[in-house]
């Protein structure tokens, strides 16, 4: 038996823990392999518990760019709680964090098989979770948030559902601009580069920085991209 075969035989089996229906079609799967968990859409992994530095960086970089003391943050997508946890660690006790999650089962997983990853984040008095499309939360807000953190797709396109395209199109970005307070930051996580998206952010009025995060964990993959789009103070 070769060393590769021996490693394959010693690897824990992949177990399907649960599935979640996505509003308007599609399905997510929660998988476990030994101590590691994965949320997948089709054959694509949306998030894994073994590599999460880029999800934490989404919150840390955005909050670090804000002017003054941030008080109100919106997170699009609950995921495995890494962005939420990083936001709470970086925010003052007086701040509030609203998480908009489209798929109800994700919250069930957060309080069940993934509870050890969330720790006390959901019980933190600063946290509230709304089972709601993050686009609708953004559209209903005006000068409301110090930061909007989006990790609802694999990048700035409607990967999970076509309706998410409205988050990343020209008028969707202008809507996010209006939902932010002056000096606020729109931060978007992506698994890939997209030069045209940076141009759209600038067209919407943002000052844009593009940050690369190497979260490969020894795997052969390109760095993740985080766009930090700041609404000017005036």
């Amino acid at each position: 038996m070769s060393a590769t075969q021996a490693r394959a035989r010693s690897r824990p089996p992949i177990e399907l823990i649960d599935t979640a229906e996505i509003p308007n079609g599609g399905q997510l799967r929660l998988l476990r392999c030994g101590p590691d968990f994965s949320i997948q859409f089709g054959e694509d992994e949306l998030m894994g518990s073994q590599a999460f530095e880029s999800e934490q960086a989404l919150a840390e970089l955005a909050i670090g760019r804000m002017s003054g003391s941030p008080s109100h943050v919106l997170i699009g997508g609950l995921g495995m709680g890494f962005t939420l946890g990083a936001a709470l660690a970086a925010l003052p006790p007086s701040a509030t964090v609203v998480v908009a999650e489209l798929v109800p089962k994700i919250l069930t997983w957060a309080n069940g098989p993934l509870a050890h990853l969330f720790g006390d984040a959901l019980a933190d008095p600063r946290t509230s979770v709304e089972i709601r499309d993050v686009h609708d939360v953004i559209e209903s807000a005006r000068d409301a948030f110090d930061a909007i953190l989006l990790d609802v797709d694999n990048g700035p396109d409607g990967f999970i559902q076509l309706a998410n395209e409205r988050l990343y199109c020209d008028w969707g970005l202008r809507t996010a601009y209006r939902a932010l307070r002056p000096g606020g930051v729109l931060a978007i996580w992506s698994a890939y580069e997209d030069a045209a998206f940076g141009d759209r952010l600038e067209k919407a009025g943002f000052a844009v920085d593009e940050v690369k995060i190497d979260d490969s964990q020894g795997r052969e993959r390109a760095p993740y991209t985080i766009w930090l789009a700041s609404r000017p103070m005036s």
Side-chain angles (χ1 to χ4, degrees), residues 34-59:
D36 300 323
F37 289 81
S38 175
I39 296 176
Q40 295 193 357
F41 177 68
E43 296 301 315
D44 294 293
E45 182 178 70
L46 299 181
M47 184 165 294
S49 63
Q50 72 278 15
F52 49 81
E53 283 81 1
S54 63
E55 285 82 6
Q56 291 176 326
L58 179 67

Side-chain angles (χ1 to χ4, degrees), residues 18-21 101-111 131:
D18 200 2
T19 61
E21 300 303 316
E101 174 54 58
L102 181 67
V103 182
K105 189 68 77 70
I106 297 292
L107 182 57
T108 302
W109 295 347
N111 287 300
I131 302 302

Side-chain angles (χ1 to χ4, degrees), residues 11-18 29-40 45 47 49-50 80 112-114 116:
R11 186 179 302 130
I14 297 175
E15 178 184 1
L16 176 64
I17 302 300
D18 200 2
R29 295 183 298 150
L30 177 62
L31 305 175
R32 179 171 60 198
C33 181
D36 300 323
F37 289 81
S38 175
I39 296 176
Q40 295 193 357
E45 182 178 70
M47 184 165 294
S49 63
Q50 72 278 15
M80 293 185 173
L114 302 181
H116 65 291

